[in-house]
Amino acid sequence: MLPFVIPFPDIDPALFTLELGSFQFSLRWYALSYIVGLIVGWRLMVWIMRRPTLWPSDKAPMKPEQPEELLTWMVVGVVLGGRLGYVLFYDFSRFAAHPSEILQVWQGGMSFHGGFAGVIVATIIYTRLKGIPLLPAGDAVALAAPFGLMLGRLANFINGELYGRVTDVWWAMQFPLPNPVTGQRDWAHLTEPRHPSQLYEAALEGLLLFLIMWALALKGGWLKRPGALIGLFFIGYGGARFFVEYFRQWDTQLAHIVDTYGVSMGQILSLPMILIGLAFLVVGFRKKT
C-alpha cells in the first residue's frame, strides 16, 4: 500500500515555445534560473559595492560597474567548469567512449562543484587583470551565489530531475518518468514515492544560506574580514549538500562508490569544500578588522 503522497505539480519544463516553420525555440525554466540568478547576483554585487562603509577601510574592492565585467567571466567559468566537472566526476567512461557528446550541453549534465571551480578560476583571473583584491571580491561573489543556487534547485524540481530516494514520509512525491520514445513526461508511469530532495537543497544551500550570509554581511561586519564570507559559503554549501545527499538518489553509474565507501560522489566532493571553508574562516578572523 502506497503512503500518502503529494501530487507532483504539472508545470511544463518549458516556460514557452516558439515555432516558426521547422524552427523551434523553447525557453526552459532551467535556463531561466541561470539567467535570473546571474542578473540578480550582478545587481546584488553592485548594491553592496555602493556601500563602502561595510568594507575594510571603508572602501569597496570594486567600482560599481566592474561586477558586470566579472559576470561575463563567471558565465564562461560556470559553463566550462560545470560541464568539465560532470564529465570527469560523474560519467567519465561514457564521455571517453563518445567524446563528441562532451559539447552537447543541451542534453544536460552539469556539476555544481565543477561550475563553482570555474567561477573561482574566472574570479582569480579577472581580479589579477584588474588589480582588484581577491578576498573581498570573492566575498561579494559568495554573497550572490546562494540565490542562484536556490533558483537552480527549484528548476531541477520543475524538471522532475535529481529527485530523492524512495521513502514513506507523508510529503513524498511520485515523479513522472520520461517516455522512452518522445522523451516527454509520461504521467501514466510514475516513480515510487520519493523525497523531493531538490526542495531540501533549495531551502538549505539556497534560501537559508542566503539569509545567514547577508545578515552577517550587513549586521555582523563580516565584510570587514576578507575571506570570512567565502569560508562561510564553502562550509554552508558543503554541509548542506553532504546532508541532503542522504536523501537524494545517487547517480546509477556511480552506485559502486556508495557500495564501496558508504558515501556518494556529491559527499566526497563536498568534504574538501568544508575543509577549505574552515581555512578561509581562520584567515578572515586572524586579520585585523
Side-chain angles (χ1 to χ4, degrees), residues 130-142:
K130 298 296 183 178
I132 296 171
L134 177 59
L135 290 183
D139 286 332
V141 173

Side-chain angles (χ1 to χ4, degrees), residues 48-49 55-56 59-63 66 131-138 140:
I48 204 72
M49 293 303 163
W55 298 94
K59 183 179 180 181
M62 288 191 281
K63 299 175 182 177
Q66 287 182 315
I132 296 171
L134 177 59
L135 290 183

Side-chain angles (χ1 to χ4, degrees), residues 74-87:
M74 290 169 58
V75 169
V76 176
V78 74
V79 172
L80 293 181
R83 186 59 170 176
L84 185 60
Y86 184 82
V87 170

